[in-house]
Amino acid sequence: MRKNVVFILFLAFALLLASCGGGEETAAPAETEAPPVEEAAPSGEQVQLVIESWRNDDLTIWEDKIIPAFEAKYPNIDVVFAPTPPAEYNGVLNTKLEGGTAGDLITCRPFDASLALYDQGYLASLNDLPGMENFGDVAKSAWITDDGSNVFCVPMASVIHGFFYNKEAFEKLGLQVPKTKAEFMAVLEAIKADGTYTPLAMGTSDMWEAATMGFQNIGPVNWKGEEGRKALIAGTGKYTDEPYVKTWQELAAWAPYLPDGYEAVKYPDAQQLFTLGKAAIYPTGSWEISVFEKDAQFPMGIFPPPLDNEGDTCYISDHTDIALGMNAATQHSEEARTFLSWMTTPEFAELYANALPGFFSLSNEPVTLTDPLAQEFQSWRESCEETIRNSYQILSRGEPNLENELWRVSAAVMNGTLTPEQAAEEVQAGLDSWYTPTQ
Amino acid sequence: MQPAKARKPFPTHILVFLAPAVLLYTLFMVYPLLNSLRLSFFEIGPQNQTTFVGLDNYIKLFTDENFAPRFWGALGNNVVFFLVHMLVQNPIGLLLAALLASGGRGRGFYRSVLFMPTILSVVIIGFIWNLILSPLWGVAQTMMSWVGLEQFYKPWLGLESTALVTISLISVWQFIGIPMILFYTALIGIPEELTEASRVDGASGWATFWRIKFPLILPTVGIVGILTYVGNFNAFDLIYTLKGANAGPEYSTDIMGTFFFRTYFGQQLQLGNPSMGATVAAMMFLIILVGVLVYLILWQRRVQSYEL
């Protein structure tokens, strides 16, 4: 008898446990869903908009500058900037969208990642958004369907590639800013001969620097920007062509001027090497301005990718990088559209471009910049032809993924484990295996 | 059920005791695992519609010119990763355990210190070793110069020829505590009488260890082996922390875990491919399953366990 009582007690306990377990399991998703959904608020009530982003570096700028400026105008909309670390963003965002727990506004990666989201019905079309007319075709090119019929993100910013240099080092060694490739190599040689500074701060461990800050930085001069990029998409140009092989040859020639053991030097290492004043030149892009201006104790200058001959047309990579779209499943589409529409105004453009020097507005409206380095970067838009990274539009859709391949071979070329010709052949063979250009 | 044995009722309480664990494991482990296996037989279209494709994904994984080299490369690297652990981590773990079990001062201190890296976050491990081995600010180069070895310094983490072994050794350093503690507990469980008897019979310390102690801890050797195997073929985090999902240079540090991650979640401009990712995951499951079966059938049945 007593045994039975004990048994019943245990049974009750076990059932309690089981029901708790079950309850937890159903409660958990509902809990995470809560912030974006809430109750669909009638107008006039406080509405919360959540922004998904990978720009966790910009958290304070959004919280202190951009969101207050917006909320001052639209006091009934409460905007929350909720970033995820860049490397996890795509995966996390996809999972959230599938689970219906993503925020109302989605920061858009350029080209296919966002296009895929639009095709799957996760991003809403923004064709009729008031203010969309402030953006030109190039600005919208990264967030538009292939046939050009639907725009799904409001372009926010682009980044421009170039070289930073340590003005103090150049002065000390009596060097002139190089304009041609020959001058560039001579400057590197002079810095190396002197020995005080590492000529070029760059490593190949993370691989993307070799492709993005190397290949896509100095390459447009060789493949003539948009002309070469469009030829690749049309199939009339190939990576085995002379401009591309030449670009890898130029990268391979950098190797002796990189820090010792550059094969294991990572991106933050290279950044620190430069900001500590131990390196003279740093190939990169405009997004470094705010970080460098904060950390570096010496005056910095910039120069665009060197040319074959002085007076040639210069080409720069002015890469459309970031935009904002609307979650098609949002409960607050009206408020989300209000926010997106506000983002097309010059007010936002000026606020954003000045809060984040190095991220340039894509708006047609003129934007006044206060940061001198950012001004200089922006001035290249007047004097040079602009293009975007050649692997981003259409060509990175298949497997092997072109962008990953460019990372891999560019790093290998700089490490000396692939020749430029081999790199070109491998990349083109990979592209040929799935890509048939539409004539 | 037999009326003759009616006095033995069905043991309902066992079911009740098992229920919570069975429910939770089924819900959070068995079901996802089976669902992931199921996914590997499907293809996901652009509108998220799934179509049954049979074994196509597996055929693609083994024959496709993009997937096959990556798969075999990752598997080969994973075998190297495992062998380094088996040949370095476990023997050293055994040695440390034997030293600890032989007594002496400061035993508790060393035991804790040697176990410490195991409980550290892998991000910290990655960061520390990146700094130690860094060609720019690493102490490795400086310390080697103290003993006149600086010409042998290489940026090991960045070279195609050395990156994988370097990362394997970092992982060995991190996890050495686990075989050490397992061997240690097995060794101190051996009764004094046995070792005393061998000493009385005139056996040397060396002979006592290999003839008496080692055979007695063979079951633990098997457990350590299979734990290493399962852990290594599931490994991912250290390589991801040190080299990223592309596992460079030239995929030389790519193992099954990073290959799965890249395939399933995508990387930079490469979009994730859940069904191919599930196929890779199924292969990882199969590899581990085969290993565990080999251990259960070939090892555990043959090894004699002694009641001590």
Side-chain angles (χ1 to χ4, degrees):
Chain A
M1 203 56 215
R2 157 116 18 117
K3 252 183 194 164
N4 267 346
V5 172
V6 174
F7 173 62
I8 286 166
L9 273 177
F10 265 112
L11 186 70
F13 181 62
L15 280 176
L16 192 74
L17 269 184
S19 68
C20 282
E24 238 164 38
E25 179 249 327
T26 46
E31 228 166 41
T32 42
E33 233 166 276
V37 179
E38 281 185 6
E39 314 87 54
S43 54
E45 238 179 80
Q46 196 71 17
V47 166
Q48 195 186 52
L49 294 179
V50 175
I51 303 178
E52 299 281 350
S53 175
W54 70 87
R55 292 291 311 171
N56 47 7
D57 291 352
D58 302 348
L59 183 65
T60 50
I61 287 156
W62 280 88
E63 284 183 343
D64 299 347
K65 293 188 180 160
I66 297 172
I67 293 175
F70 173 77
E71 286 178 351
K73 278 206 165 145
Y74 302 93
N76 68 320
I77 306 179
D78 175 28
V79 184
V80 178
F81 186 72
T84 330
E88 290 154 32
Y89 180 70
N90 295 16
V92 169
L93 179 65
N94 278 318
T95 315
K96 279 187 177 175
L97 286 169
E98 273 164 35
T101 59
D104 310 275
L105 295 162
I106 312 281
T107 308
C108 303
R109 297 270 191 196
F111 298 104
D112 287 1
S114 294
L115 183 60
L117 293 181
Y118 174 76
D119 284 340
Q120 289 169 6
Y122 292 132
L123 287 176
S125 170
L126 298 175
N127 280 339
D128 53 349
L129 186 82
M132 211 58 175
E133 66 280 357
N134 292 347
F135 298 98
D137 286 343
V138 179
K140 287 190 278 197
S141 68
W143 300 283
I144 201 161
T145 47
D146 285 356
D147 60 4
S149 62
N150 276 304
V151 187
F152 42 84
C153 296
V154 177
M156 278 163 76
S158 70
V159 290
I160 300 175
H161 282 300
F163 293 80
F164 279 78
Y165 69 95
N166 182 333
K167 275 190 174 164
E168 220 170 75
F170 270 54
E171 257 165 47
K172 222 183 258 175
L173 303 181
L175 295 168
Q176 293 293 315
V177 174
K179 289 200 178 68
T180 66
K181 291 171 183 175
E183 285 170 16
F184 181 67
M185 296 313 284
V187 163
L188 291 181
E189 190 52 47
I191 301 167
K192 188 175 182 176
D194 171 75
T196 321
Y197 302 93
T198 303
L200 268 178
M202 188 174 181
T204 57
S205 180
D206 293 332
M207 302 200 284
W208 67 271
E209 298 107 297
T212 311
M213 285 131 78
F215 189 75
Q216 304 284 10
N217 180 3
I218 60 169
V221 170
N222 292 337
W223 61 72
K224 307 215 175 304
E226 285 292 276
E227 196 184 315
R229 187 180 77 84
K230 290 195 166 134
L232 283 175
I233 294 172
T236 51
K238 300 215 169 286
Y239 276 98
T240 43
D241 292 348
E242 189 255 342
Y244 303 95
V245 178
K246 189 173 154 193
T247 307
W248 276 307
Q249 281 164 348
E250 287 166 17
L251 279 185
W254 287 7
Y257 306 107
L258 299 176
D260 286 338
Y262 62 92
E263 296 97 332
V265 170
K266 295 170 91 79
Y267 176 52
D269 293 335
Q271 282 180 311
Q272 281 177 36
L273 197 67
F274 183 73
T275 52
L276 287 173
K278 294 185 174 192
I281 301 176
Y282 184 61
T284 181
S286 55
W287 66 87
E288 311 271 17
I289 292 178
S290 49
V291 187
F292 280 10
E293 282 183 340
K294 197 173 70 202
D295 293 345
Q297 303 295 315
F298 51 86
M300 283 176 299
I302 54 169
F303 59 88
L307 308 166
D308 283 308
N309 303 298
E310 206 168 339
D312 283 359
T313 321
C314 58
Y315 292 88
I316 53 165
S317 166
D318 183 2
H319 190 71
T320 47
D321 191 53
I322 184 167
L324 199 71
M326 185 172 82
N327 183 349
T330 175
Q331 305 281 310
H332 310 298
S333 61
E334 205 178 302
E335 288 80 5
R337 286 173 67 92
T338 308
F339 187 81
L340 289 172
S341 203
W342 177 72
M343 284 182 53
T344 65
T345 59
E347 184 193 353
F348 171 82
E350 210 148 308
L351 204 61
Y352 185 79
N354 280 313
L356 283 168
F359 288 82
F360 301 100
S361 169
L362 288 160
S363 166
N364 292 336
E365 307 275 337
V367 174
T368 326
L369 294 176
T370 49
D371 184 278
L373 282 178
Q375 277 172 356
E376 199 176 339
F377 265 117
Q378 201 178 29
S379 73
W380 297 349
R381 280 182 171 173
E382 311 294 319
S383 52
C384 299
E385 298 290 321
E386 302 156 58
T387 183
I388 57 174
R389 296 175 198 156
N390 61 14
S391 51
Y392 273 59
Q393 194 175 26
I394 301 174
L395 298 181
S396 275
R397 256 172 219 181
E399 276 156 359
N401 183 276
L402 177 63
E403 177 71 1
N404 283 355
E405 283 290 280
L406 287 179
W407 289 20
R408 179 179 69 84
V409 302
S410 302
V413 163
M414 296 187 83
N415 287 351
T417 53
L418 273 187
T419 66
E421 291 76 16
Q422 281 170 329
E425 255 158 52
E426 288 186 14
V427 167
Q428 189 59 41
L431 191 58
D432 285 341
S433 72
W434 65 270
Y435 183 64
T436 350
T438 43
Q439 302 297 337
Chain B
M1 269 155 269
Q2 296 289 340
K5 293 179 180 172
R7 280 296 77 203
K8 208 153 193 203
F10 185 75
T12 327
H13 62 285
I14 293 185
L15 285 188
V16 172
F17 287 140
L18 287 177
V22 168
L23 273 177
L24 288 176
Y25 274 103
T26 314
L27 204 59
F28 293 109
M29 300 204 54
V30 180
Y31 167 70
L33 190 68
L34 290 178
N35 201 27
S36 146
L37 285 177
R38 190 186 64 86
L39 186 60
S40 70
F41 298 108
F42 286 82
E43 196 172 78
I44 298 175
Q47 307 300 322
N48 261 346
Q49 75 279 28
T50 51
T51 17
F52 183 76
V53 292
L55 287 173
D56 278 12
N57 286 337
Y58 291 88
I59 295 169
K60 196 171 166 193
L61 187 65
F62 296 130
T63 59
D64 185 88
E65 59 180 22
N66 298 318
F67 279 102
R70 291 283 70 77
F71 173 73
W72 296 115
L75 186 59
N77 288 339
N78 219 145
V79 169
V80 173
F81 191 69
F82 169 63
L83 287 179
V84 170
H85 282 79
M86 279 309 268
L87 297 177
V88 181
Q89 174 188 277
N90 298 344
I92 295 180
L94 181 62
L95 175 73
L96 292 172
L99 290 175
L100 286 178
S102 65
R105 277 161 162 267
R107 179 164 56 168
F109 172 74
Y110 280 112
R111 201 174 49 203
S112 315
V113 165
L114 290 168
F115 198 75
M116 197 94 85
T118 310
I119 55 172
L120 284 180
S121 152
V122 76
V123 179
I124 296 173
I125 306 268
F127 182 71
I128 292 173
W129 278 97
N130 240 330
L131 271 184
I132 294 175
L133 298 176
S134 165
L136 294 179
W137 9 78
V139 290
Q141 212 167 352
T142 324
M143 286 170 76
M144 284 172 78
S145 71
W146 292 342
V147 284
L149 288 175
E150 73 259 50
Q151 75 268 31
F152 294 108
Y153 174 81
K154 292 253 158 50
W156 291 293
L157 275 174
L159 297 178
E160 221 173 300
S161 50
T162 54
L164 179 63
V165 174
T166 309
I167 293 179
S168 308
L169 290 174
I170 294 174
S171 171
V172 164
W173 175 85
Q174 183 186 2
F175 288 115
I176 191 93
I178 290 181
M180 182 191 79
I181 286 292
L182 288 172
F183 286 133
Y184 174 69
T185 42
L187 285 171
I188 57 173
I190 297 172
E192 282 283 313
E193 300 89 73
L194 293 174
T195 42
E196 260 167 32
S198 81
R199 214 177 311 143
V200 170
D201 286 347
S204 65
W206 185 253
T208 309
F209 183 80
W210 287 112
R211 298 272 177 81
I212 310 286
K213 290 184 179 171
F214 190 71
L216 287 172
I217 63 162
L218 266 186
T220 308
V221 174
I223 288 170
V224 166
I226 195 68
L227 281 179
T228 312
Y229 182 84
V230 174
N232 286 170
F233 279 91
N234 269 331
F236 162 74
D237 41 10
L238 185 65
I239 294 190
Y240 184 69
T241 313
L242 285 166
K243 305 302 298 184
N246 270 333
E250 292 267 19
Y251 296 113
S252 61
T253 55
D254 198 21
I255 60 171
M256 296 300 287
T258 43
F259 178 47
F260 161 76
F261 183 87
R262 242 189 2 258
T263 316
Y264 190 93
F265 292 103
Q267 157 69 15
Q268 193 69 8
L269 300 189
Q270 177 190 329
L271 298 177
N273 185 341
S275 56
M276 278 312 283
T279 313
V280 178
M283 286 312 299
M284 289 170 76
F285 176 65
L286 197 71
I287 291 165
I288 289 170
L289 191 70
V290 167
V292 173
L293 287 179
V294 166
Y295 162 73
L296 288 177
I297 294 166
L298 293 183
W299 179 275
Q300 217 179 27
R301 283 198 185 168
R302 291 190 184 182
V303 161
Q304 187 127 30
S305 289
Y306 299 93
E307 286 291 331
L308 297 173

